[in-house]
């Protein structure tokens, strides 16, 4: 069998150090991958004058699986978000953000296990119809939902629930006010739900969802929603387990998948060996599961959980006093 080649984008700020950590852990767990390293973000801009060079796009297309660190898009300079560009370019319609409690984190809850599945290419983030009037007093943006887009994302959520032995899918919407776009999403979600009688189906308005997530998060299992709501809810869920440092993300399409740390590039601590690499390690676990390497994924997850629980060489945000390299070695020692 041919070796799996993975595209690696180390990213900006703390990206290179946390990606190196994840790659060392994958190696220690016995993963025999080939890697092709390419640039995007500020690192690419400095070298090539482009945030997303064609060579990077071609490599992602060729290898189909990508592991990436956080990227910086310069703010207010007319640059489109690189993440949005990648999602559109490769049709990465499903954004999968699991959060799971780890004993030893400074989190408010200790039994969270929720997956947020967010439609990644439509809704308010489609970028369509963004207009600001000449006098600067009025702005407009369009939200676009298609039946095909809604059906794809809701079906993806139910298929994931079946595959992972999940019990319940909650479709989150605002159809009471946004009767057209959210209304269509909800209508399609109800239709798809009927095909999966073995899964409990629930629907909830987005504002009520936020309140319930904070008060009774145990009510949730899999959440499926549109782009803007999913962006907000997935960060809220990350807050339930200790923040973005504990939350990975996957962007999945028909032909390609990109696995990433969902936090920013934290330039203030870049190069100081301080960053917690957990988010991108968990993203590499998602990648392994996507590649049907569940046993290896579980070994790494158990090792990370034990490091955090025992407080052995943990980083400052986890209550320890160690850096990225010590934390990485602590995980490797358990593999």
């Amino acid at each position: 069998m041919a070796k799996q080649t993975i595209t690696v984008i180390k990213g900006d700020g703390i990206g290179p150090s946390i990606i190196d950590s994840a790659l060392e852990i994958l190696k220690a767990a016995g993963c025999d991958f080939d890697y092709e390293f390419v640039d995007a973000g500020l690192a690419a801009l400095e070298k090539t004058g482009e945030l997303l060079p064609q060579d990077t796009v071609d490599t992602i297309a060729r290898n189909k699986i990508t592991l990436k660190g956080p990227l910086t898009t310069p703010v207010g300079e007319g640059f489109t978000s690189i993440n949005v560009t990648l999602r559109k370019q490769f049709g990465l319609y499903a954004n999968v953000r699991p959060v799971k409690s780890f004993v030893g984190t400074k989190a408010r809850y200790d039994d969270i296990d929720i997956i947020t599945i967010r439609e990644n290419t439509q809704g308010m983030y489609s970028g369509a119809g963004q207009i600001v009037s000449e006098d600067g007093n009025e702005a407009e943006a369009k939200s676009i939902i298609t039946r095909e887009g809604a059906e794809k994302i809701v079906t993806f959520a139910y298929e994931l629930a079946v595959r992972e032995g999940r019990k319940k899918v909650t479709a989150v919407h605002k159809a009471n006010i946004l009767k057209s776009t959210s209304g269509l999403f909800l209508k399609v979600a109800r239709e798809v739900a009927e095909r999966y009688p073995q899964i409990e189906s629930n629907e909830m308005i987005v504002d009520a969802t936020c309140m319930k997530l904070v008060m009774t998060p145990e009510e949730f299992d899999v959440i499926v929603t549109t782009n803007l709501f999913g962006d907000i809810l997935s960060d809220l869920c990350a807050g339930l387990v200790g923040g973005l440092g504990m939350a990975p993300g996957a962007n999945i399409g028909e032909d390609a998948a990109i696995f990433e740390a969902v936090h920013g590039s934290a330039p203030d601590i870049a190069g100081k060996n301080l960053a917690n690499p957990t988010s991108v390690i968990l993203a590499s676990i998602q990648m392994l599961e996507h590649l049907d390497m569940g046993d290896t994924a579980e070994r790494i997850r158990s090792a990370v959980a034990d490091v955090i629980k025992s407080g052995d060489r943990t980083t400052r945000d986890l209550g320890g006093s160690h850096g990225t390299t010590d934390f990485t070695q602590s995980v490797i020692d358990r593999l």
Side-chain angles (χ1 to χ4, degrees):
M1 194 171 127
K3 238 197 220 187
Q4 175 73 49
T5 302
I6 290 164
T7 305
V8 179
I9 300 171
K10 289 195 173 185
D12 301 313
I14 58 173
S17 66
I18 61 172
I19 287 282
D20 284 346
S21 165
L23 296 181
E24 283 174 41
I25 287 166
L26 287 170
K27 185 180 176 188
C31 299
D32 188 22
F33 299 131
D34 283 334
Y35 298 108
E36 277 192 71
F37 295 91
V38 290
D39 290 316
L42 292 182
L45 192 63
E46 284 164 15
K47 285 185 196 172
T48 67
E50 293 178 285
L51 284 172
L52 189 61
Q54 189 58 44
D55 174 52
T56 299
V57 174
D58 293 343
T59 307
I60 294 169
R62 183 170 63 248
N63 295 330
K64 302 190 182 344
I65 303 284
T66 300
L67 183 64
K68 97 181 206 0
L71 299 176
T72 304
T73 300
V75 175
E77 294 178 40
F79 291 110
T80 308
S81 157
I82 310 158
N83 289 334
V84 172
T85 305
L86 285 169
R87 286 165 197 168
K88 285 190 164 170
Q89 177 105 27
F90 293 102
L92 306 174
Y93 66 93
N95 180 254
V96 183
R97 294 268 305 264
V99 294
K100 201 172 167 69
S101 296
F102 283 89
V103 179
T105 52
K106 298 176 184 172
R108 294 179 183 273
Y109 299 91
D110 52 18
D111 55 354
I112 303 291
D113 186 359
I114 302 169
I115 301 178
T116 303
I117 295 173
R118 157 192 173 198
E119 203 291 319
N120 228 354
T121 58
Q122 301 188 345
M124 283 309 302
Y125 288 19
S126 60
Q130 297 217 40
I131 314 162
V132 180
S133 63
E134 282 188 21
D135 62 7
N137 289 331
E138 198 174 309
E140 254 180 57
K142 252 190 209 169
S143 175
I144 297 171
I145 301 284
T146 65
R147 169 172 280 279
E148 183 196 12
E151 187 164 357
K152 264 171 88 167
I153 196 66
V154 179
T155 303
F156 182 96
Y158 277 93
E159 285 295 323
L160 180 138
V162 170
R163 199 167 60 245
E164 299 205 2
R166 298 271 172 168
K167 305 272 189 296
K168 179 158 121 184
V169 173
T170 303
V172 176
H173 64 91
K174 191 67 180 169
N176 54 329
I177 306 292
L178 304 170
K179 290 182 163 53
S180 55
T181 47
S182 229
L184 177 60
F185 176 78
L186 181 59
K187 183 171 190 276
V188 173
R190 287 171 176 167
E191 290 168 10
V192 173
E194 286 180 6
R195 297 181 215 151
Y196 297 89
Q198 74 274 40
I199 304 280
E200 184 189 340
S201 295
N202 192 19
E203 53 192 55
M204 201 175 283
I205 294 170
V206 63
D207 33 336
T209 306
C210 290
M211 181 184 71
K212 290 260 193 195
L213 275 167
V214 172
M215 292 178 71
T216 50
E218 65 277 1
E219 282 185 41
F220 296 91
D221 191 358
V222 176
I223 293 171
V224 63
T225 189
T226 48
N227 209 331
L228 173 62
F229 298 158
D231 193 9
I232 295 164
L233 289 176
S234 57
D235 270 26
L236 194 161
C237 288
L240 303 177
V241 298
L244 292 178
M246 303 303 296
N251 300 284
I252 296 172
E254 309 284 350
D255 301 315
I258 296 178
F259 301 87
E260 63 188 356
V262 296
H263 54 68
S265 55
D268 53 320
I269 59 166
K272 295 181 180 173
N273 190 25
L274 291 173
N276 173 4
T278 302
S279 177
V280 84
I281 296 168
L282 295 175
S284 71
I285 288 173
Q286 276 188 292
M287 179 180 80
L288 292 174
E289 288 169 340
H290 184 75
L291 293 168
D292 293 326
M293 297 172 67
D295 291 350
T296 309
E298 196 43 56
R299 278 179 56 221
I300 298 174
R301 186 184 280 111
S302 297
V304 171
D306 194 61
V307 168
I308 295 170
K309 182 180 179 180
S310 63
D312 178 16
R313 288 167 275 174
T314 48
T315 50
R316 290 191 308 188
D317 58 311
L318 293 169
S321 58
H322 288 261
T324 317
T325 48
D326 285 349
F327 181 93
T328 305
Q329 192 55 50
S330 187
V331 176
I332 289 170
D333 288 349
R334 285 160 172 77
L335 291 166

